[in-house]
Amino acid sequence: MYQQNIQDIVQLQRDKYRENSYIEFQKRIELLTKVQDAIIKYEKEILNSLFLDLGKPVYEAQLSEVIFVQNEIRSIKKNLKKWMKKKKVKTPLIHFPAKSFIQSEAYGSVLIIAPWNYPFQLLFSPMIGAIAAGNRVVLKPSEISENTSHLVKKMIDEVFDKEYVACIEGGVKETTELLDSHFDYIFYTGNSHVGRIVMEKASKNLTPVTLELGGKSPTFVFGNSDLDLVAKRIISGKFFNAGQTCIAPDYILVDEDKYEELVDKLINYIEKFYGEVPSKSKDYGRIINESHFNRLLSLIETDSLLCGGNISSENKFIPPTLVSAKEGDQCMKDEIFGPILPIMKMENLKSAIDYVVKGEKPLAMYIFSNDSKVQEAILNRVSAGGVTVNDTLMHITNEHLPFGGVGTSGMGSYHGKNSFDLFSHQKSVFKASTVMDLPVKYPPYFGKIGLVRWLMRFFG
Ligand code: NAD
């Protein structure tokens, strides 16, 4: 189905890297500008393909895919010269007048594998970081978001010489062939099952990896808070992209005293945002495919339904769904990754924290409380990739915060300067002096160790 010579492209980038491993500042800017121009040229088609794949509302697509990437390119272009500069570091006096610095260098050819939920952003955001750091890039879009995959392939083929950036479409077969090839860095976003395959394959060539994975992201509602604002912010974060967001609030843990009031307010905001008939809302997406649709249906137990119903298999529509949950329920086992929001009442904050730390480390965590003691108690005990306090999703919007997981939710982090650092090897350089030459360094060593100790203590 996909006709591409994977090995030719991999070999081309490897050869070109060996010929010239350093891509100049001006060339990097030129490549980034090409991306900017292509986004402007293809903006309508990008929005359309995201609609065809996910029924993604134009506003959500603009915000989380197009504008997100455009902002990142602008910021990278503004700062790149500064980031590329060699960083001087101190050199111990004993080496005087030697100098030391750190030089950020490209790894070489980077493979970027993306999933289907933000199929444009999750390819382009790591790609621009890799280009900025001077790498060559092979992109592998998700075959599941097929319209975006075809469009990205068309854009990349049109804009780039394959020695710099190439796009390989395909599914398991093509990705496996790519993973069996020799890249200098692999950046994978997707589920942790495939994450393990990626890491295993990478280990063959000792290729460094970044794994951007998922998990169950908890939302705590404890202590003093404005429940109306809490509900508003949880609903907007959860049902963005119909819940198919890696950092969507996966479930809510709420103080039992606040349970009833919070449920009422959550339902109120579902209606306010998506109307009484959410299937008619222009601001609400669809489930990516039938298999995810069926997986999600199996998580809804009708006797625990607080809000929802009216599911339509025809256009893979599941309305914003709120369910009351208890430990051990099916919806509390794996990441939901869809528009189902379980809410579990807890006796107190300690029992909520104990519940979360029993599970895997989440990709994101949300704390709703104006009480700094509550915030600190959670922040100090629960490890998570990233946290937003008193809102949802917001930590991803600050490019100065590294974005990534921990434990089974991933390893490595990117965005803004962190992307440049992630895709750069920090090469340590020590420029020794040819003027001074301490005799204590050289054999015969007899009787010199005392002097070395003394020199190290006072000049080391
Ligand atoms: P997916 O099915 O599109 O798979 C991701 C990529 O892996 C695709 O390019 C696919 O072709 C490839 N792939 C699939 N099976 C493979 C195999 N057996 N061998 C090699 N490659 C294979 O997307 P997905 O995994 O369903 O994505 C959803 C998951 O990704 C969720 O867990 C979500 O939380 C996570 N996610 C994480 C982030 C993040 O930034 N941390 C962002 C988005 C999604």
Side-chain angles (χ1 to χ4, degrees), residues 113-118 122 140-145 170-173 175-176 179 188-194 197-198 201 211-215 244-247 292 335 337 363 396 403-405 409 414:
I113 304 172
W116 49 264
N117 61 330
Y118 290 86
L122 294 173
K140 215 303 287 172
S142 173
E143 71 282 18
I144 294 178
S145 41
V172 176
K173 178 175 162 287
T175 319
T176 305
L179 289 171
Y188 165 81
T189 307
N191 67 72
S192 57
H193 165 70
V194 177
I197 297 176
V198 170
K201 298 247 181 217
L211 301 177
E212 296 285 340
L213 311 176
Q244 300 162 112
T245 302
C246 56
I247 53 166
H292 279 282
E335 179 185 3
F337 214 53
L363 178 61
I396 201 177
F403 179 78
S409 60
Y414 71 127

Side-chain angles (χ1 to χ4, degrees), residues 401-452:
L401 288 172
F403 179 78
V406 58
T408 54
S409 60
M411 58 182 73
S413 51
Y414 71 127
H415 287 169
K417 166 81 160 51
N418 300 292
S419 294
F420 178 83
D421 290 343
L422 181 86
F423 289 112
S424 302
H425 164 62
Q426 305 284 295
K427 184 159 70 182
S428 296
V429 183
F430 182 96
K431 276 196 180 178
S433 158
T434 51
V435 183
M436 308 269 277
D437 197 30
L438 291 178
V440 290
K441 275 172 26 185
Y442 303 105
Y445 303 128
F446 182 75
K448 290 181 177 171
I449 199 71
L451 181 58
V452 170

Side-chain angles (χ1 to χ4, degrees), residues 386-405:
V387 182
T388 295
V389 176
N390 285 330
D391 207 338
T392 53
L393 314 187
M394 288 302 122
H395 59 286
I396 201 177
T397 65
N398 181 354
E399 66 165 48
H400 303 292
L401 288 172
F403 179 78

